[in-house]
């Protein structure tokens, strides 16, 4: 069975520079055997997550986003760097999720206005890790000078993006299989972090 990868685009801009990175990552992931689905938070926005509004969880867009994340074995998550962080739209996506990301694997890509991207990439990895997901110890970020218009042309950055796309397909099924097997073994400490999810369903 092929590895299901969800590409999540966290930009709030039309014609985002992220699109070019997403397309390159998608091509690499497909060539490595991935079954790819794209989720664009600009085209499919979510309401701001509110714990005091239980109706939110039954909204079609919220249910769809959770189902798409639950189905995926791995994720390629892209963010623009906003104020040294991931975009608010992407953080809001995380706030609707937890179990859907546990025991999954993610690679992270960023575009910046000149910064190195470390802060937004670290922010995304932190959120994924705090949902008990595992992240690739490698990433890619692109600055404005790496583009011709909105097309990424810097070959070094393109290669990094391809490596991330390929690695997500390669590692995601191993991580998920290992986590699910440990989870099925029960809640004992020997099952590690997966055991903490043994009885959780929602
Ligand atoms: C609200 C806001 C905050 C930003 N903060 C940063 C920042 O902290 N560091 C940086 O390098 N670029 C920053 N930028 C520039 C964006 O990262 C850059 O324009 C990026 O290409 C935006 O992605 P997009 O192509 O999807 O619009 C910021 C842009 C906006 C709109």
């Amino acid at each position: 069975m092929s590895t299901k990868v969800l590409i999540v685009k966290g930009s709030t801009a039309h014609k985002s520079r992220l699109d070019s990175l997403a397309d390159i990552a998608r091509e690499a992931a497909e060539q490595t055997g991935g079954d790819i689905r794209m989720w664009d938070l600009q085209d499919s926005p979510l309401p701001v997550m509110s714990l005091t509004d239980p109706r939110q969880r039954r909204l079609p867009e919220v249910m769809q986003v959770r189902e798409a994340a639950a189905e995926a074995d791995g994720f390629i998550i892209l963010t623009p760097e906003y104020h040294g962080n991931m975009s608010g739209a992407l953080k809001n996506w995380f706030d609707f999720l937890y179990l859907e990301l546990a025991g999954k694997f993610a690679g992270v890509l960023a575009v910046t206005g000149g910064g190195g991207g470390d802060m937004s990439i670290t922010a995304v990895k932190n959120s994924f890790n705090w949902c008990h997901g595992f992240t690739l110890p490698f990433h890619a970020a692109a600055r404005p000078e790496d583009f011709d218009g909105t097309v990424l042309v810097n070959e070094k950055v393109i290669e990094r993006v391809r490596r991330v796309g390929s690695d997500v397909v390669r590692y995601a099924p191993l991580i998920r299989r290992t986590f699910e097997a440990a989870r099925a073994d029960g809640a004992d400490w020997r099952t590690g972090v997966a055991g903490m999810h043994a009885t959780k369903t929602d």
Side-chain angles (χ1 to χ4, degrees):
M1 215 166 54
S2 56
T3 301
K4 288 186 178 151
V5 173
L6 185 66
I7 297 182
V8 182
K9 292 199 277 182
S11 180
T12 53
H14 291 293
K15 297 200 174 156
S16 166
R17 291 198 188 101
L18 281 184
D19 294 344
S20 186
L21 276 74
D23 291 344
I24 294 164
R26 175 183 200 139
E27 199 182 2
E30 279 174 347
Q31 284 177 10
T32 312
D35 172 7
I36 316 300
R37 189 169 170 196
M38 203 71 97
W39 198 280
D40 189 330
L41 290 168
Q42 162 67 27
D43 296 340
S44 308
L46 291 165
V48 174
M49 197 280 286
S50 165
L51 280 179
T52 56
D53 183 359
R55 288 169 306 175
Q56 258 191 357
R57 289 180 96 73
R58 292 192 293 278
L59 291 173
E61 60 269 38
V62 171
M63 288 168 66
Q64 284 162 14
V65 102
R66 294 187 69 203
E67 277 165 25
E71 273 178 15
D73 302 306
F75 298 81
I76 299 169
I77 306 178
L78 298 98
T79 189
E81 186 152 289
Y82 282 175
H83 302 320
N85 217 304
M86 74 177 94
S87 68
L90 186 57
K91 180 58 173 64
N92 190 51
W93 174 82
F94 272 109
D95 291 346
F96 280 103
L97 305 170
Y98 172 41
L99 294 181
E100 295 87 354
L101 307 182
K104 307 285 185 70
F105 188 70
V108 182
L109 304 169
V111 292
T112 79
D118 286 347
M119 290 182 292
S120 51
I121 288 168
T122 301
V124 174
K125 289 188 182 185
N126 278 345
S127 286
F128 203 83
N129 293 156
W130 277 90
C131 293
H132 292 170
F134 298 73
T135 49
L136 183 67
F138 183 80
H139 45 255
R143 296 184 166 103
E145 58 266 33
D146 298 321
F147 293 85
D148 180 0
T150 54
V151 179
L152 183 67
V153 291
N154 182 323
E155 281 300 330
K156 282 189 177 162
V157 181
I158 289 172
E159 191 190 299
R160 291 182 72 96
V161 172
R162 286 196 182 122
R163 287 187 192 279
V164 171
S166 179
D167 266 357
V168 168
V169 176
R170 197 175 284 274
Y171 293 104
L174 305 176
I175 299 279
R176 188 170 192 186
R177 211 178 304 130
T178 306
F179 191 90
E180 290 302 335
R183 186 171 182 251
D185 275 348
D188 185 80
W189 64 265
R190 290 171 190 80
T191 61
V193 62
M196 296 168 71
H197 294 263
T199 55
K200 291 181 185 163
T201 54
D202 191 26

